[in-house]
Each structure stands twice: as structure tokens, then as C-alpha cells.
């Protein structure tokens, strides 16, 4: 049975399609636009575009009004020339090519040399070379590289930046990189081959290995189509054609001979980046005619039969199978001959996600047709719009249930922010509901993931209003409720000191503040909390008591293992004589420190053998005296000291307290 297989990556690449789109829109608006050179390397397509008012010219002086730079790009001097002539410049340079311009410009600003791997006569390479600030050369092969190394001994000796033509042959590029590294020691290589090209070449190589012949469709001047033909020729016979007519005129007989040579013949079709989908379709049709094989006709007719079932018109909802994904778009099959494209911005409402994060090859997704371009045979679709519809249903449900919806802040707008829900619904959050303080900046929450409550839904206008503040409040309340539920005496926390008063500090325990009284900060005697902590410090605290009604928590930062009383009890006993330092004077006596954290009282009656009426006349703060421990009250943690007892024991040797 004879079989025809069309490569999924055949035809327009992203850059060419973008350029065609730009040109068509510009022609629609202005009547006529000019392109500097042929917009694409396909005569049929160029003629079709000409009918729509897109006219190729060879020099900017031939243009009037505006001129389009095609996807290949152009040297910087061309942009200058266009500006000098006062023409409007419509830049349709493919973003992948523009990236090379930027790389070459930026990396050669220090005067370092640049090597372009590619065909120096190709417009893309000519354009790239026009962005270098230092020396720049182009080589197309290992031989050309050897020649360059031999003839120019100074080129690339300091630093060599290397870029490659987007459509360059992958295998040749791999070999050339090795050679470049051998010849040049200080080299920065940027792999700028376009992924669309890699994918197309890889698929063509694989398909040609399974086929008896490949039909490669492309313009005579299209280098990427010529490369495809070379790749395919390594595995099977190749018929190179620009369109269906040329295939019939030049290859019909050869094809017929091939078909009659065996029973089971498999023929593949691929096409260069400048080949419109309608030409691929025409070639497929003609192939079927040529084959005149019942089985093939049946297959083709079945495909035709399918077409009316999937109707591609704007607004129609269809099922699409993802056949390729790259950084800028997803290519989908919607069951018709036209290729379907979902640009990155139509895949997801979340700008933080790339197409590869949203879909993968083989996924079957619901989409809405946004545009059908009959000229190039493409169908443009949106997954985001389908998601947004589903998202709206979930939003309404969330409002009814007062549920919190998660989303990402995607834009700052007048009076608030836009939050895009995980399901793609756009929700306006007024500044007052954003949770950003009055003097804060809304930009600070841009791209942040947030939860919000739905406070208003207007289905008719598709308007949803939300409140991040309400969701935050609910979350905080939930945290607090859990805190009180789980709180118990003895529970330990590590919290931040939020504020300080003369009587203690307030510590954040995770949404609820607790208080550590001055006397609970340390075992030592301190007059102000600032002697031991600062606001912002992390403090290890234990719950002493709490009152859920009054929302009060009393904490202690004292640790039992540091308790000086335990140390005192281990080291001292009643009757011991100790050297102590007077720390305070009261009318009834003086307190003196025995060890840090344990003070004893020298009662007024125990200071001297004489009767003392004013303690301050006999003792002063800071004075060190010798005293006897006369009583230890373990229960009340109190120590009584006596100087008098020592004096009595020592007879009348000393009348006054010892002083250091
Ligand atoms: Fe651009 Fe790649 Fe096409 S570089 S023009 S998308 S082949």
C-alpha cells in the first residue's frame, strides 16, 4: 500500500508567519507597503502577497511611506538609511534573529572580534554582520575556518564571540564548534540555531529514513529548504519543488516510475520555513492524483470527509492535540489540514509561565478559534479564553461559598491591581483591598501569588472584584484561633521582640503577642529590659499563664537550668561566712548580692553591735562587706545575712563592717 506522510513541522516557522502577519496588517491599513527584498523565499507566496499590496523592493529609495524589514533582519546601516529617507520602518525581524543582533552588538562593544558561522551571502548573515562593533568574519565550513586561521593571525586572538545562522545545519555546527575551540583559546560560543529549524531538520531526517522518497517543498533561494533536501537525500531519494505545478511538470514521471517499482511505497513531505500551508496541501492533493492508488485516495478522501466536522471559524470551540511546543507558541492539530497555533500569551493568563510549563506534546486541550488566515492557511487559537470561561464558573462558586481563590498579581491598573486566578479568570482588586499599606507601592505585589475573596461578580460585564485583604484577614484569624486552641502553660516559643516598655517586652508568638515582665527576662536583677534585649531580637520564651478571654499571654525567658537559687543551695549553707556586695539600701536594712541572682537581706538590727537608725549612714551601695548566713528560707527563696553575728563572734576586735 502506498502511503503519504506529511511532516508535522513542515511549513511556516514562527518568524516567517509573524512577518507575513505584519505585512498583511500593514497593507490592510495603508493599501500598499514595501518590503526590503522578498518577504519570504517562495515565489507563489510573494505573488499572492503582491496581490494584497505587499510589494518587494531592492532598495529603500524605491519605497514610499513605509518599508518592512523582513524576518531575516538587516544591518544597522539599513535602519539608519531608512530613517534618513524619512520612511516609516516596520521591523518584522524574527525575534530569534534580533537576539543575535543584540548578542553581537553587546559582546563586541569592548572591541572583541566576532565570528558568524553561516553563509556570508545570506541576508540574515549580512544583517548580523552589520551589528558588530569590532572585527567580524563569516565562515560556512571547516575549510573556510582553516583558511581564516591561516590568513588572519590577529583575528580572535584576544576574545572571540561566535554566533551561528539560525538555519545552519545542526551536524555541521557541532563539528565546527569543536574546530573553533581548537583554533581559538578564548572563545565565547552562543548557540543561536533556531529551535524551529532543529525540530524541522530532526523530523525530516527521521521521516526520510522511513520513506522511499521525500518531497521537499521550498523556494529556489530558500537556504533552509535546500538544507532539508540535503538532509533527506542522505537517506532516500528527494524531489525538490516550489509548488504543486512544478512537481507535476518536473517530477511526475519519476514519481510514477518509483511507485511502479514496488507494492509498498512510502513518500514523505516536508517543507521549508517559507512554505505556506496551502502549497503543502496542494502538493499533498497532487501527490494523491499522481499515485492513483485506491488506498491513498481513500485515505485522502477520509481526511477531506473529516474537514467539515471541525469548522475553523473565529469563536468556535475545538479540541486540539499539541504536536509541538517551543518558547513562543504551541502548534496544535485540530483535525483539519490547516496548522493551528496558540501563541504563548494565549496559552495561559499567567505571564510567569512559558508554553512548555502549560502544555506538552500529546496533550488534548480545549481551545477557541480566534482567527483564520486563509492566505497562509493558519488557524490561530486561544486556550486562555477557554480557561477564563471555566475560571469564571469557579469564581462564582467561590463567591457563593466564601472560599479563598489563589492567583497571581498580573498587572497594576488605575485604582488597584489585576489578579489572574489559577483558572485564568481576571479579577480586579481595588488598592484599598490589596493589603498594601496606604503609603506602600502596588508594584511591590506584582507577580506575587496571593489568595483573595470574591466580593462582587458581574457576569454580564465579565467583571469580578476581589479582596486580598479579606483573605489575609481570614487567614490571620485562622492562625490565631489555632494558636489559642493549642496554647498551654509550659509551651515554648521562639519569638521576635516587637516592642519594649519599662516594665517588660512584647514578643510575637506567630500572630499573637505575649508579654515578658521585666522580672521574667533574666534571673539577674535588671532595671530596664534594654539591659538584656533589643526590639527585633529573637527570644526563647515559655508560657507562664494565659487568658484566652482577655487575649493575654504571660511569658518567661528564664530557664530553670540557669536558676541561680539552685546554684546557691548547692554551694552555701546556714552559718557560712560570705563576702557580699550591697546592691540596695532600704529603711529596714540592706540587700547584698551573694552570687549573681541571689541577694540576702542584712536587716537593720544585724548591721552593727551598735543600734543603727539610718542604714545609709553605715552602708552604701557597691560596698563589699563580710556577713554570716543566718537563715535560708528555701520555700520563699530568701536569705538572711548578719554582720553583727560576725562581730559578736569576733569579740570587740572590730566595731565597724569590713570594707575593701
Ligand atoms: Fe525565525 Fe527560526 Fe523562522 S529564526 S525566521 S523562527 S527559522
Amino acid at each position: 500500500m502506498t502511503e503519504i506522510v506529511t511532516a508535522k513541522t513542515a511549513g511556516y516557522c514562527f518568524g516567517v508567519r509573524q512577518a507575513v502577519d505584519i505585512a498583511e496588517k500593514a497593507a490592510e491599513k495603508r493599501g500598499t507597503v514595501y518590503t526590503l527584498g522578498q518577504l519570504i523565499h517562495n515565489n507563489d507566496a510573494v505573488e499572492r502577497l503582491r496581490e494584497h499590496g505587499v510589494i518587494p523592493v531592492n532598495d529603500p529609495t524605491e519605497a514610499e511611506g513605509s518599508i518592512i524589514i523582513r524576518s531575516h533582519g538587516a544591518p544597522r546601516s539599513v535602519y539608519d538609511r531608512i530613517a534618513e529617507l524619512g520612511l516609516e520602518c516596520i521591523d518584522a525581524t524574527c525575534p530569534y534573529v534580533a537576539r543575535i543582533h543584540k548578542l553581537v552588538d553587546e559582546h563586541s562593544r569592548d572591541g572583541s572580534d566576532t565570528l558568524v558561522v553561516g553563509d556570508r551571502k545570506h541576508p540574515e548573515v549580512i544583517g548580523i554582520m552589520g551589528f558588530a562593533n569590532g572585527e567580524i568574519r563569516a565562515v560556512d565550513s571547516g575549510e573556510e575556518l582553516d583558511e581564516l586561521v591561516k590568513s588572519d593571525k590577529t583575528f580572535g586572538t584576544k576574545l572571540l564571540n561566535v554566533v551561528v545562522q539560525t538555519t545552519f545545519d545542526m551536524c555541521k555546527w557541532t563539528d565546527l564548534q569543536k574546530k573553533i575551540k581548537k583554533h581559538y583559546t578564548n572563545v565565547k560560543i552562543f548557540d543561536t540555531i533556531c529551535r524551529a529549524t532543529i525540530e524541522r531538520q530532526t523530523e525530516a531526517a527521521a521521516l526520510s529514513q522511513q520513506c522511499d522518497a521525500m518531497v521537499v517543498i521550498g523556494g529556489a533561494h530558500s537556504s533552509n529548504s535546500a538544507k532539508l533536501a540535503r538532509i533527506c537525500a542522505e537517506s532516500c531519494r528527494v524531489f525538490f519543488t516550489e509548488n504543486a505545478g512544478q512537481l507535476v511538470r518536473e517530477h511526475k514521471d519519476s514519481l510514477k516510475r518509483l511507485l511502479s517499482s514496488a507494492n509498498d511505497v512510502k513518500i514523505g513531505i516536508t517543507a521549508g520555513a517559507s512554505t505556506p500551508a496551502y502549497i503543502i496541501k496542494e502538493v499533498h492533493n497532487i501527490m494523491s492524483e499522481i499515485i492513483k492508488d485506491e488506498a491513498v485516495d481513500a485515505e485522502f478522501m477520509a481526511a477531506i470527509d473529516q474537514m467539515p466536522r471541525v469548522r475553523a471559524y473565529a469563536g468556535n470551540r475545538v479540541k486540539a492535540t499539541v504536536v509541538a511546543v517551543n518558547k513562543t507558541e504551541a502548534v496544535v492539530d485540530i483535525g483539519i489540514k490547516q496548522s493551528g497555533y496558540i501563541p504563548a500569551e494565549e496559552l495561559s493568563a499567567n505571564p510567569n509561565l512559558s508554553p512548555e510549563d502549560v502544555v506538552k506534546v500529546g496533550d488534548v486541550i480545549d481551545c477557541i478559534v480566534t482567527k483564520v488566515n486563509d492566505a497562509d492557511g493558519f488557524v490561530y487559537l486561544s486556550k486562555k479564553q477557554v480557561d477564563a470561561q471555566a475560571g469564571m464558573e469557579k469564581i462564582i462558586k467561590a463567591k457563593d461559598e466564601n472560599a479563598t481563590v489563589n492567583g497571581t498579581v498580573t498587572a497594576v491598573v488605575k485604582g488597584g491591581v489585576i489578579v489572574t486566578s489559577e483558572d485564568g479568570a481576571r479579577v480586579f482588586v481595588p488598592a484599598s483591598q490589596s493589603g498594601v499599606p496606604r503609603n506602600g507601592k502596588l508594584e511591590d505585589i506584582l507577580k506575587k501569588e496571593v489568595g483573595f475573596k470574591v466580593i462582587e461578580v458581574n457576569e454580564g460585564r465579565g467583571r469580578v472584584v476581589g479582596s486580598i485583604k479579606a483573605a489575609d484577614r481570614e487567614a490571620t484569624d485562622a492562625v490565631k484561633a489555632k494558636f489559642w486552641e493549642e496554647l498551654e502553660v509550659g509551651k515554648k516559643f521562639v519569638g521576635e521582640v516587637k516592642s519594649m516598655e519599662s516594665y517588660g517586652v512584647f514578643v510575637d508568638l506567630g500572630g499573637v503577642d505575649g508579654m515578658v515582665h521585666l522580672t521574667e527576662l533574666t534571673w539577674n536583677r535588671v532595671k530596664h529590659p534594654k539591659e538584656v534585649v533589643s526590639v527585633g531580637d529573637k527570644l526563647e520564651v515559655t508560657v507562664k499563664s494565659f487568658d484566652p478571654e482577655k487575649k493575654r499571654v504571660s511569658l518567661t525567658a528564664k530557664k530553670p537550668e540557669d536558676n541561680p537559687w539552685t546554684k546557691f543551695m548547692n554551694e552555701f549553707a546556714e552559718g557560712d561566712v560570705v563576702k557580699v556586695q550591697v546592691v540596695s539600701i532600704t529603711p529596714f536594712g540592706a540587700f547584698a548580692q551573694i552570687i549573681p541572682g541571689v541577694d540576702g537581706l542584712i536587716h537593720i538590727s544585724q548591721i552593727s553591735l551598735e543600734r543603727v537608725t539610718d542604714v545609709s549612714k553605715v552602708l552604701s551601695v557597691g560596698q563589699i562587706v563580710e556577713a554570716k548566713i543566718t537563715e535560708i528560707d528555701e520555700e520563699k527563696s530568701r536569705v538572711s545575712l548578719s554582720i553583727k553575728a560576725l562581730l559578736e563572734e569576733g569579740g570587740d576586735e572590730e566595731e565597724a563592717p569590713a570594707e575593701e
Side-chain angles (χ1 to χ4, degrees):
M1 188 181 94
T2 304
E3 195 185 350
I4 305 173
V5 182
T6 302
K8 288 194 170 71
T9 49
Y12 275 4
C13 63
F14 163 78
V16 170
R17 184 162 43 79
Q18 177 190 263
V20 171
D21 262 356
I22 290 173
E24 281 178 341
K25 277 188 196 135
E28 218 173 278
K29 201 166 145 198
R30 297 167 179 81
T32 303
V33 281
Y34 299 87
T35 61
L36 189 55
Q38 287 195 342
L39 193 65
I40 48 179
H41 285 152
N42 186 288
N43 290 331
D44 280 48
V46 168
E47 283 318 305
R48 211 177 248 239
L49 283 165
R50 194 190 288 276
E51 283 162 27
H52 284 82
V54 181
I55 314 292
V57 292
N58 293 320
D59 191 273
T61 49
E62 296 167 40
E64 277 173 31
S66 42
I67 189 160
I68 296 174
I69 304 282
R70 57 190 170 172
S71 57
H72 298 313
R76 197 155 33 197
S77 57
V78 169
Y79 290 83
D80 295 342
R81 180 91 180 107
I82 291 170
E84 269 171 36
L85 291 167
L87 292 169
E88 181 198 13
C89 179
I90 303 172
D91 196 350
T93 306
C94 170
Y96 296 127
V97 178
R99 178 178 161 250
I100 307 179
H101 293 175
K102 200 164 168 249
L103 280 173
V104 169
D105 175 24
E106 284 176 356
H107 288 270
S108 65
R109 274 192 202 154
D110 57 2
S112 53
D113 298 338
T114 309
L115 180 69
V116 187
V117 174
D119 176 0
R120 70 172 67 81
K121 291 194 199 110
H122 192 281
E124 180 189 321
V125 176
I126 294 169
I128 293 168
M129 293 184 81
F131 276 82
N133 300 301
E135 288 294 311
I136 186 159
R137 306 271 191 277
V139 294
D140 199 29
S141 62
E143 291 71 35
E144 285 193 6
L145 179 67
D146 292 341
E147 192 50 48
L148 172 67
V149 173
K150 240 193 262 162
S151 62
D152 197 336
K153 298 266 185 263
T154 54
F155 180 75
T157 44
K158 269 195 261 159
L159 170 64
L160 183 65
N161 301 305
V162 183
V163 294
V164 56
Q165 188 180 344
T166 54
T167 50
F168 199 76
D169 187 304
M170 246 190 332
C171 302
K172 266 175 80 180
W173 167 233
T174 311
D175 292 341
L176 265 165
Q177 284 183 74
K178 286 184 201 146
K179 258 195 149 179
I180 291 166
K181 282 183 196 155
K182 238 193 233 168
H183 286 305
Y184 298 98
T185 44
N186 198 2
V187 61
K188 261 194 216 163
I189 296 181
F190 301 96
D191 188 344
T192 48
I193 289 195
C194 167
R195 281 188 61 195
T197 305
I198 296 173
E199 278 161 19
R200 186 182 292 107
Q201 291 178 359
T202 309
E203 194 189 9
L207 186 58
S208 60
Q209 280 166 18
Q210 301 158 17
C211 293
D212 301 287
M214 287 289 293
V215 174
V216 178
I217 315 166
H221 303 295
S222 164
S223 66
N224 77 85
S225 306
K227 269 171 211 158
L228 277 181
R230 280 202 298 276
I231 289 168
C232 295
E234 280 172 28
S235 308
C236 67
R237 186 166 178 189
V238 170
F239 298 98
F240 191 87
T241 184
E242 187 160 9
N243 51 39
Q246 191 186 19
L247 183 72
V248 174
R249 279 194 309 278
E250 296 179 14
H251 304 295
K252 189 178 162 196
D253 293 340
S254 307
L255 273 165
K256 282 203 154 196
R257 274 198 298 279
L258 174 72
L259 292 166
S260 58
S261 65
N263 285 336
D264 296 321
V265 177
K266 187 169 176 178
I267 299 179
I269 299 176
T270 188
S274 303
T275 310
Y278 72 87
I279 292 185
I280 302 172
K281 196 170 152 192
E282 281 171 5
V283 168
H284 190 288
N285 291 355
I286 284 295
M287 287 289 298
S288 300
E289 288 294 319
I290 293 170
I291 289 165
K292 283 287 177 209
D293 178 292
E294 293 231 333
V296 174
D297 281 349
E299 182 211 312
F300 187 58
M301 287 318 291
I304 297 285
D305 280 346
Q306 255 193 351
M307 288 176 74
R309 268 185 251 136
V310 182
R311 294 162 66 207
Y313 58 85
N316 190 22
R317 191 170 167 145
V318 294
K319 281 239 179 283
T321 305
V322 179
V323 293
V325 188
N326 58 43
K327 287 198 163 33
T328 54
E329 65 193 358
V331 184
V332 294
D333 178 358
I334 57 169
I336 59 175
K337 283 288 156 189
Q338 289 128 305
S339 301
Y341 286 90
I342 313 176
E345 63 277 13
E346 290 300 325
L347 271 166
S348 166
N350 186 341
N352 300 333
L353 299 179
S354 77
E356 285 135 334
D357 297 326
V358 183
V359 289
K360 58 181 188 314
V361 172
D363 283 356
V364 178
I365 52 174
D366 288 316
C367 297
I368 284 178
V369 175
T370 55
K371 188 177 135 195
V372 180
N373 191 334
D374 290 328
D376 63 15
F378 289 124
V379 178
Y380 296 87
L381 303 113
S382 171
K383 175 179 180 297
K384 188 171 85 174
Q385 287 185 22
V386 175
D387 292 346
Q389 281 174 6
M392 184 59 99
E393 283 158 25
K394 288 193 183 164
I395 287 283
I396 293 166
K397 193 164 175 260
K399 181 173 186 296
D400 292 345
E401 294 171 358
N402 191 31
T404 295
V405 183
N406 294 322
T408 306
V409 179
T410 49
V412 174
V413 293
K414 199 174 165 211
V417 294
I418 298 294
V419 178
T420 303
S421 77
E422 283 175 348
D423 298 301
R426 277 168 64 86
V427 178
F428 173 69
V429 176
S432 62
Q433 296 300 317
S434 67
V436 175
R438 208 175 268 269
N439 52 359
K441 281 199 269 158
L442 290 173
E443 283 76 9
D444 289 347
I445 58 168
L446 197 59
K447 294 197 173 178
K448 292 244 164 78
E449 286 180 11
V450 293
F452 63 89
K453 293 279 177 193
V454 181
I455 53 178
E456 189 191 320
V457 178
N458 184 329
E459 271 189 83
R461 291 173 60 202
R463 182 182 151 93
V464 182
V465 180
S467 169
I468 298 171
K469 205 167 155 185
D472 285 351
R473 202 181 306 124
E474 187 186 82
T476 310
D477 289 350
V479 167
K480 283 186 181 166
K482 191 164 179 269
F483 173 87
W484 289 109
E485 206 181 293
E486 293 175 354
L487 193 62
E488 54 188 37
V489 171
K491 189 165 180 175
K492 292 188 187 326
F493 292 89
V494 176
E496 188 182 316
V497 177
K498 300 291 280 187
S499 60
M500 185 180 287
E501 300 294 339
S502 60
Y503 53 84
V505 295
F506 289 90
V507 176
D508 178 11
L509 305 176
V512 175
D513 287 352
M515 210 270 280
V516 188
H517 192 269
L518 179 66
T519 54
E520 292 299 330
L521 275 171
T522 167
W523 291 105
N524 299 332
R525 186 185 289 261
V526 284
K527 288 200 180 109
H528 195 281
K530 68 182 174 194
E531 290 175 37
V532 280
V533 285
S534 306
V535 171
D537 281 357
K538 291 269 185 244
L539 204 58
E540 212 178 308
V541 290
T542 307
V543 177
K544 274 188 77 192
S545 63
F546 63 94
D547 184 341
E549 302 277 299
K550 293 183 181 156
K551 305 281 183 235
R552 280 190 194 148
V553 188
S554 296
L555 305 163
T556 180
K558 290 177 176 173
K559 290 187 189 128
E561 61 271 27
D562 298 335
N563 189 341
W565 182 257
T566 313
K567 192 176 173 225
F568 171 79
M569 288 303 289
N570 287 337
E571 292 176 17
F572 297 92
E574 283 177 5
D576 285 354
V577 176
V578 285
K579 268 195 177 168
V580 294
Q581 184 170 34
V582 177
V583 289
S584 66
I585 304 285
T586 69
F588 55 86
F591 284 96
Q593 185 188 72
I594 305 167
I595 59 170
V598 178
D599 296 343
L601 172 67
I602 313 169
H603 191 266
I604 190 166
S605 62
Q606 297 301 313
I607 293 174
S608 169
L609 291 169
E610 306 295 322
R611 184 165 176 269
V612 177
T613 51
D614 184 349
V615 180
S616 65
K617 288 215 170 114
V618 190
L619 294 173
S620 55
V621 171
Q623 188 180 354
I624 293 174
V625 295
E626 210 165 52
K628 189 174 187 173
I629 299 173
T630 51
E631 193 187 343
I632 297 172
D633 184 339
E634 201 174 344
E635 211 172 292
K636 291 181 181 155
S637 304
R638 279 185 192 159
V639 186
S640 299
L641 299 168
S642 173
I643 300 169
K644 188 179 166 188
L646 276 186
L647 293 173
E648 282 170 350
E649 282 170 14
D652 52 6
E653 278 171 23
E654 270 193 74
E655 289 192 355
E659 194 173 337
E660 260 198 4

